[in-house]
Amino acid sequence: MERKKERREKRNERASKLRRLGLRATPQRLAILAFLEGNRNHPSAEEIYQALKPRFPSLSLATVYGTLEILEQSGEIQVLTIDPERRRFDPDPTPHAHFYCQLCGRVFDLPRVQPALEKLPEEIEGFWVEKVSLSAYGVCPACRKR
Amino acid sequence: MERKKERREKRNERASKLRRLGLRATPQRLAILAFLEGNRNHPSAEEIYQALKPRFPSLSLATVYGTLEILEQSGEIQVLTIDPERRRFDPDPTPHAHFYCQLCGRVFDLPRVQPALEKLPEEIEGFWVEKVSLSAYGVCPACRKR
DNA sequence: ATAATTGCAAAAGCTTTGCACGGAA
DNA sequence: TTCCGTGCAAAGCTTTTGCAATTAT
């Protein structure tokens, strides 16, 4: 069974990543990292919490928020303010465009729009720019069909 | 005194605008419109409320929220989600870039960055785009000096 | 007159905080 | 053993809602 070994390795990678950031590798943090990894759904804190709850019955929403906070400060993830109702979290910290569907509320990546962002300088009209975000609002392909 | 006449005219313009939208021209709405007009501070609902409270002691926050909601739906203003803490309102409904200062929390217009937005089509990769917003985060000129 | 709008209070979310306990290093 | 991290409950905010009273038309 190679799968077991693979999982163990990924787990170790995540633990190392956390320790490299000066953080303790707790089961909760490892689970949140694992859930986020490769997740393109831009989940909210509540969604992460609900998804992990079955396997971590003692998990608390406060821990989820806390972990997401330090992961953002560490540059491992990015927080999106695209959804007017709640914060969304993106495991990919590199700048890229997002789309918010006003019908279903889902958030999508728009990787091909990215280039427009690259051209922005570190300084615009005296403002020091740390991060740029491009958000589009409208109707996603699935909702257009209905 | 020409000022009085001018104020009366502006007030009439706002009243007409409201009625054109099928809305009643109440003192509260006229005051909110007047406060927003030419206001480049991207105020929050609370800020609008506090600013108008002295002259409209009976004004309620619920009315402010309600008015802002219908003004947005009418296309008269735009709601910004750039501030992670609260919604900000912009009397200019046309798409333009914004800057959020992470130190003082103020929101600025970045009118010269606008062109980058113009190039975006109505449809991107199957997504129907109704609105695009470009937000930059960093430190504003005033805060850089300190 | 009458239908829309206001203001109040309460409710509904989302997110943060304080603190005692538990667990990683 | 030593702190860092967790979980719980409560609090803090922003925003929404229901409804009776008011007011624009």
Side-chain angles (χ1 to χ4, degrees):
Chain A
M1 215 41 183
E2 278 301 296
R3 279 288 141 78
K4 244 179 191 166
K5 190 183 168 193
E6 208 174 299
R7 270 205 295 267
R8 203 184 327 117
E9 278 171 5
K10 290 223 170 189
R11 189 185 165 89
N12 283 339
E13 277 174 35
R14 289 181 206 114
S16 306
K17 176 183 278 186
L18 285 171
R19 284 189 275 263
R20 219 179 302 128
L21 298 170
L23 305 169
R24 288 189 179 173
T26 65
Q28 293 86 338
R29 287 176 177 170
L30 290 170
I32 293 171
L33 269 184
F35 178 74
L36 246 27
E37 214 161 75
N39 186 320
R40 298 280 78 201
N41 293 325
H42 310 86
S44 63
E46 179 73 30
E47 282 164 352
I48 297 170
Y49 172 69
Q50 292 299 340
L52 298 177
K53 191 84 183 170
R55 300 210 287 125
F56 292 82
S58 80
L59 183 65
S60 90
L61 202 42
T63 297
V64 175
Y65 274 108
T67 298
L68 292 169
E69 162 95 30
I70 57 174
L71 287 179
E72 187 209 9
Q73 286 175 2
S74 306
E76 292 297 315
I77 67 174
Q78 71 175 294
V79 181
L80 307 182
T81 57
I82 192 174
D83 181 344
E85 311 297 331
R86 69 202 103 247
R87 281 171 207 180
R88 302 295 206 94
F89 301 89
D90 190 331
D92 178 358
T94 66
H96 57 282
H98 293 97
F99 182 93
Y100 178 80
C101 178
Q102 290 163 325
L103 290 185
C104 65
R106 280 184 292 178
V107 174
F108 304 82
D109 289 320
L110 289 183
R112 306 192 50 191
V113 179
Q114 173 65 9
L117 296 183
E118 305 282 290
K119 292 169 195 154
L120 283 166
E122 283 191 354
E123 186 171 331
I124 304 174
E125 302 166 36
F127 295 88
W128 186 79
V129 177
E130 189 230 303
K131 169 188 158 189
V132 170
S133 107
L134 181 52
S135 304
Y137 299 80
V139 183
C140 75
C143 287
R144 289 180 77 183
K145 290 189 191 131
R146 301 198 292 109
Chain B
M1 212 44 184
E2 279 301 296
R3 278 289 140 77
K4 244 179 190 167
K5 190 183 168 195
E6 210 176 296
R7 271 205 295 269
R8 203 182 329 115
E9 278 171 5
K10 291 223 170 189
R11 190 186 164 88
N12 283 337
E13 278 175 35
R14 289 181 206 113
S16 305
K17 176 185 278 186
L18 285 171
R19 283 189 275 262
R20 219 178 302 126
L21 299 169
L23 304 169
R24 288 188 180 175
T26 66
Q28 294 88 338
R29 287 176 178 169
L30 290 171
I32 293 172
L33 269 184
F35 178 74
L36 247 26
E37 215 161 74
N39 185 319
R40 298 279 78 201
N41 293 325
H42 310 86
S44 64
E46 178 73 30
E47 282 165 351
I48 297 170
Y49 172 70
Q50 291 301 340
L52 267 30
K53 189 84 183 170
R55 301 212 286 126
F56 291 82
S58 80
L59 183 65
S60 91
L61 202 42
T63 297
V64 175
Y65 274 107
T67 298
L68 291 169
E69 162 94 30
I70 57 174
L71 288 179
E72 188 210 7
Q73 287 176 1
S74 307
E76 290 298 315
I77 67 173
Q78 72 174 295
V79 181
L80 307 182
T81 57
I82 192 173
D83 181 343
E85 311 297 332
R86 69 202 101 247
R87 281 171 208 179
R88 303 294 207 96
F89 301 88
D90 191 331
D92 178 358
T94 66
H96 57 282
H98 293 96
F99 182 93
Y100 177 80
C101 178
Q102 290 163 327
L103 290 186
C104 66
R106 280 184 292 177
V107 174
F108 303 83
D109 288 321
L110 288 184
R112 306 190 51 192
V113 180
Q114 173 67 9
L117 295 183
E118 304 284 288
K119 293 167 193 153
L120 283 167
E122 281 191 354
E123 185 170 331
I124 304 174
E125 300 166 36
F127 295 87
W128 185 78
V129 176
E130 188 229 303
K131 169 189 160 189
V132 170
S133 106
L134 181 52
S135 304
Y137 299 81
V139 183
C140 76
C143 286
R144 288 180 78 182
K145 289 188 193 134
R146 302 196 294 110

Short mmCIF file of all heavy atoms in Angstrom, two decimals, chain B residues 82-111:
data_model
loop_
_atom_site.label_atom_id
_atom_site.label_comp_id
_atom_site.label_asym_id
_atom_site.label_seq_id
_atom_site.Cartn_x
_atom_site.Cartn_y
_atom_site.Cartn_z
N ILE B 82 -13.72 46.50 -0.19
CA ILE B 82 -12.27 46.60 -0.02
C ILE B 82 -11.84 46.56 1.45
O ILE B 82 -10.79 46.03 1.79
CB ILE B 82 -11.75 47.90 -0.68
CG1 ILE B 82 -10.23 47.88 -0.79
CG2 ILE B 82 -12.26 49.13 0.06
CD1 ILE B 82 -9.67 49.05 -1.57
N ASP B 83 -12.66 47.10 2.33
CA ASP B 83 -12.37 47.13 3.76
C ASP B 83 -12.87 45.83 4.40
O ASP B 83 -14.07 45.54 4.34
CB ASP B 83 -13.08 48.34 4.38
CG ASP B 83 -12.83 48.49 5.87
OD1 ASP B 83 -12.38 47.52 6.51
OD2 ASP B 83 -13.09 49.59 6.40
N PRO B 84 -11.95 45.06 4.99
CA PRO B 84 -12.34 43.76 5.55
C PRO B 84 -13.32 43.89 6.71
O PRO B 84 -14.03 42.95 7.03
CB PRO B 84 -11.02 43.17 6.07
CG PRO B 84 -9.93 43.99 5.45
CD PRO B 84 -10.51 45.33 5.18
N GLU B 85 -13.39 45.05 7.33
CA GLU B 85 -14.20 45.22 8.53
C GLU B 85 -15.64 45.65 8.26
O GLU B 85 -16.55 45.32 9.00
CB GLU B 85 -13.57 46.27 9.45
CG GLU B 85 -12.09 46.07 9.72
CD GLU B 85 -11.82 44.77 10.44
OE1 GLU B 85 -12.71 44.31 11.18
OE2 GLU B 85 -10.72 44.19 10.24
N ARG B 86 -15.83 46.44 7.21
CA ARG B 86 -17.17 46.98 6.98
C ARG B 86 -17.31 47.43 5.53
O ARG B 86 -16.32 47.61 4.82
CB ARG B 86 -17.43 48.15 7.91
CG ARG B 86 -16.60 49.37 7.59
CD ARG B 86 -16.45 50.29 8.79
NE ARG B 86 -15.15 50.11 9.41
CZ ARG B 86 -14.93 49.61 10.61
NH1 ARG B 86 -15.92 49.26 11.35
NH2 ARG B 86 -13.71 49.43 11.09
N ARG B 87 -18.56 47.64 5.10
CA ARG B 87 -18.79 48.11 3.75
C ARG B 87 -18.53 49.60 3.64
O ARG B 87 -18.82 50.35 4.56
CB ARG B 87 -20.24 47.81 3.34
CG ARG B 87 -20.39 46.38 2.96
CD ARG B 87 -21.81 45.96 2.76
NE ARG B 87 -21.89 44.53 3.06
CZ ARG B 87 -22.99 43.80 3.02
NH1 ARG B 87 -24.12 44.36 2.71
NH2 ARG B 87 -22.93 42.53 3.29
N ARG B 88 -18.00 50.00 2.51
CA ARG B 88 -17.77 51.40 2.23
C ARG B 88 -18.60 51.77 1.03
O ARG B 88 -18.84 50.93 0.17
CB ARG B 88 -16.28 51.64 1.92
CG ARG B 88 -15.33 51.18 3.02
CD ARG B 88 -15.51 52.00 4.30
NE ARG B 88 -14.27 52.01 5.05
CZ ARG B 88 -13.37 52.97 4.98
NH1 ARG B 88 -13.57 54.03 4.22
NH2 ARG B 88 -12.26 52.88 5.68
N PHE B 89 -19.00 53.05 0.97
CA PHE B 89 -19.89 53.49 -0.10
C PHE B 89 -19.26 54.60 -0.91
O PHE B 89 -18.68 55.54 -0.36
CB PHE B 89 -21.23 53.91 0.50
CG PHE B 89 -21.88 52.78 1.27
CD1 PHE B 89 -21.60 52.59 2.62
CD2 PHE B 89 -22.72 51.88 0.63
CE1 PHE B 89 -22.17 51.52 3.33
CE2 PHE B 89 -23.29 50.82 1.32
CZ PHE B 89 -23.01 50.64 2.68
N ASP B 90 -19.38 54.45 -2.23
CA ASP B 90 -18.75 55.38 -3.15
C ASP B 90 -19.83 56.03 -4.02
O ASP B 90 -20.54 55.33 -4.73
CB ASP B 90 -17.74 54.62 -4.02
CG ASP B 90 -16.86 55.55 -4.83
OD1 ASP B 90 -17.32 56.66 -5.15
OD2 ASP B 90 -15.71 55.18 -5.13
N PRO B 91 -19.94 57.36 -3.94
CA PRO B 91 -20.96 58.06 -4.72
C PRO B 91 -20.71 57.97 -6.23
O PRO B 91 -21.61 58.26 -7.01
CB PRO B 91 -20.85 59.51 -4.25
CG PRO B 91 -19.48 59.62 -3.68
CD PRO B 91 -19.13 58.27 -3.14
N ASP B 92 -19.51 57.57 -6.61
CA ASP B 92 -19.21 57.42 -8.03
C ASP B 92 -19.41 55.96 -8.44
O ASP B 92 -18.63 55.08 -8.07
CB ASP B 92 -17.75 57.83 -8.28
CG ASP B 92 -17.36 57.66 -9.74
OD1 ASP B 92 -18.19 57.18 -10.53
OD2 ASP B 92 -16.21 57.99 -10.08
N PRO B 93 -20.50 55.69 -9.20
CA PRO B 93 -20.82 54.30 -9.55
C PRO B 93 -19.99 53.73 -10.69
O PRO B 93 -20.06 52.54 -10.96
CB PRO B 93 -22.29 54.39 -9.94
CG PRO B 93 -22.45 55.76 -10.49
CD PRO B 93 -21.47 56.64 -9.75
N THR B 94 -19.20 54.58 -11.35
CA THR B 94 -18.40 54.07 -12.47
C THR B 94 -17.20 53.29 -11.95
O THR B 94 -16.65 53.61 -10.90
CB THR B 94 -17.91 55.22 -13.38
OG1 THR B 94 -16.98 56.03 -12.64
CG2 THR B 94 -19.07 56.09 -13.82
N PRO B 95 -16.79 52.24 -12.70
CA PRO B 95 -15.69 51.40 -12.21
C PRO B 95 -14.36 52.17 -12.17
O PRO B 95 -13.98 52.80 -13.14
CB PRO B 95 -15.64 50.26 -13.23
CG PRO B 95 -16.34 50.79 -14.43
CD PRO B 95 -17.34 51.78 -13.96
N HIS B 96 -13.73 52.13 -11.01
CA HIS B 96 -12.40 52.73 -10.88
C HIS B 96 -11.67 52.06 -9.73
O HIS B 96 -12.29 51.48 -8.84
CB HIS B 96 -12.51 54.25 -10.66
CG HIS B 96 -13.33 54.65 -9.49
ND1 HIS B 96 -14.71 54.65 -9.50
CD2 HIS B 96 -12.98 55.06 -8.25
CE1 HIS B 96 -15.16 55.05 -8.33
NE2 HIS B 96 -14.13 55.30 -7.54
N ALA B 97 -10.36 52.12 -9.77
CA ALA B 97 -9.55 51.40 -8.79
C ALA B 97 -9.55 52.11 -7.44
O ALA B 97 -9.72 53.33 -7.36
CB ALA B 97 -8.12 51.26 -9.30
N HIS B 98 -9.37 51.32 -6.37
CA HIS B 98 -9.33 51.89 -5.02
C HIS B 98 -8.11 51.40 -4.26
O HIS B 98 -7.55 50.35 -4.56
CB HIS B 98 -10.60 51.49 -4.25
CG HIS B 98 -11.84 52.12 -4.79
ND1 HIS B 98 -12.67 51.48 -5.67
CD2 HIS B 98 -12.38 53.35 -4.59
CE1 HIS B 98 -13.68 52.28 -5.99
NE2 HIS B 98 -13.53 53.42 -5.36
N PHE B 99 -7.75 52.20 -3.27
CA PHE B 99 -6.60 51.85 -2.43
C PHE B 99 -7.03 51.86 -0.97
O PHE B 99 -7.67 52.80 -0.51
CB PHE B 99 -5.48 52.87 -2.65
CG PHE B 99 -4.23 52.55 -1.86
CD1 PHE B 99 -3.21 51.81 -2.43
CD2 PHE B 99 -4.10 52.99 -0.55
CE1 PHE B 99 -2.06 51.50 -1.69
CE2 PHE B 99 -2.97 52.69 0.19
CZ PHE B 99 -1.94 51.95 -0.39
N TYR B 100 -6.68 50.79 -0.26
CA TYR B 100 -7.00 50.70 1.17
C TYR B 100 -5.71 50.79 1.97
O TYR B 100 -4.80 49.97 1.80
CB TYR B 100 -7.70 49.38 1.46
CG TYR B 100 -8.01 49.16 2.91
CD1 TYR B 100 -9.12 49.76 3.51
CD2 TYR B 100 -7.20 48.35 3.70
CE1 TYR B 100 -9.41 49.58 4.85
CE2 TYR B 100 -7.49 48.15 5.05
CZ TYR B 100 -8.59 48.76 5.61
OH TYR B 100 -8.87 48.57 6.94
N CYS B 101 -5.61 51.80 2.83
CA CYS B 101 -4.40 51.94 3.66
C CYS B 101 -4.52 51.03 4.88
O CYS B 101 -5.43 51.19 5.70
CB CYS B 101 -4.19 53.39 4.11
SG CYS B 101 -2.74 53.55 5.18
N GLN B 102 -3.58 50.12 4.99
CA GLN B 102 -3.62 49.14 6.07
C GLN B 102 -3.24 49.74 7.42
O GLN B 102 -3.39 49.10 8.45
CB GLN B 102 -2.69 47.96 5.73
CG GLN B 102 -3.24 47.11 4.58
CD GLN B 102 -2.19 46.21 3.96
OE1 GLN B 102 -1.01 46.58 3.90
NE2 GLN B 102 -2.60 45.04 3.49
N LEU B 103 -2.75 50.98 7.40
CA LEU B 103 -2.40 51.62 8.67
C LEU B 103 -3.54 52.50 9.20
O LEU B 103 -3.94 52.38 10.35
CB LEU B 103 -1.12 52.44 8.54
CG LEU B 103 0.16 51.62 8.35
CD1 LEU B 103 1.38 52.52 8.36
CD2 LEU B 103 0.29 50.55 9.45
N CYS B 104 -4.08 53.36 8.35
CA CYS B 104 -5.12 54.28 8.84
C CYS B 104 -6.53 53.84 8.45
O CYS B 104 -7.51 54.40 8.95
CB CYS B 104 -4.85 55.71 8.35
SG CYS B 104 -4.99 55.92 6.56
N GLY B 105 -6.63 52.85 7.55
CA GLY B 105 -7.94 52.34 7.18
C GLY B 105 -8.71 53.20 6.19
O GLY B 105 -9.85 52.90 5.86
N ARG B 106 -8.09 54.27 5.72
CA ARG B 106 -8.79 55.12 4.76
C ARG B 106 -8.80 54.48 3.37
O ARG B 106 -7.90 53.71 3.02
CB ARG B 106 -8.13 56.50 4.67
CG ARG B 106 -8.53 57.42 5.82
CD ARG B 106 -7.94 58.81 5.65
NE ARG B 106 -6.49 58.80 5.82
CZ ARG B 106 -5.72 59.87 5.67
NH1 ARG B 106 -6.27 61.04 5.36
NH2 ARG B 106 -4.42 59.79 5.85
N VAL B 107 -9.80 54.82 2.58
CA VAL B 107 -9.91 54.31 1.21
C VAL B 107 -9.76 55.48 0.25
O VAL B 107 -10.38 56.53 0.44
CB VAL B 107 -11.26 53.61 0.98
CG1 VAL B 107 -11.42 53.22 -0.49
CG2 VAL B 107 -11.39 52.38 1.87
N PHE B 108 -8.91 55.30 -0.76
CA PHE B 108 -8.66 56.35 -1.74
C PHE B 108 -9.03 55.88 -3.15
O PHE B 108 -9.01 54.68 -3.43
CB PHE B 108 -7.17 56.71 -1.75
CG PHE B 108 -6.64 57.15 -0.41
CD1 PHE B 108 -6.23 56.21 0.53
CD2 PHE B 108 -6.53 58.50 -0.09
CE1 PHE B 108 -5.73 56.61 1.77
CE2 PHE B 108 -6.03 58.90 1.14
CZ PHE B 108 -5.63 57.95 2.07
N ASP B 109 -9.31 56.83 -4.02
CA ASP B 109 -9.48 56.50 -5.43
C ASP B 109 -8.11 56.45 -6.09
O ASP B 109 -7.22 57.21 -5.72
CB ASP B 109 -10.32 57.59 -6.12
CG ASP B 109 -11.77 57.53 -5.71
OD1 ASP B 109 -12.30 56.42 -5.56
OD2 ASP B 109 -12.37 58.60 -5.52
N LEU B 110 -7.98 55.56 -7.05
CA LEU B 110 -6.76 55.53 -7.87
C LEU B 110 -7.19 55.68 -9.32
O LEU B 110 -7.13 54.74 -10.11
CB LEU B 110 -6.03 54.19 -7.70
CG LEU B 110 -5.30 53.91 -6.39
CD1 LEU B 110 -4.57 52.57 -6.48
CD2 LEU B 110 -4.32 55.02 -6.05
N PRO B 111 -7.62 56.90 -9.68
CA PRO B 111 -8.23 57.10 -11.00
C PRO B 111 -7.31 56.75 -12.17
O PRO B 111 -7.77 56.35 -13.22
CB PRO B 111 -8.60 58.58 -11.00
CG PRO B 111 -7.79 59.19 -9.91
CD PRO B 111 -7.52 58.13 -8.91
#
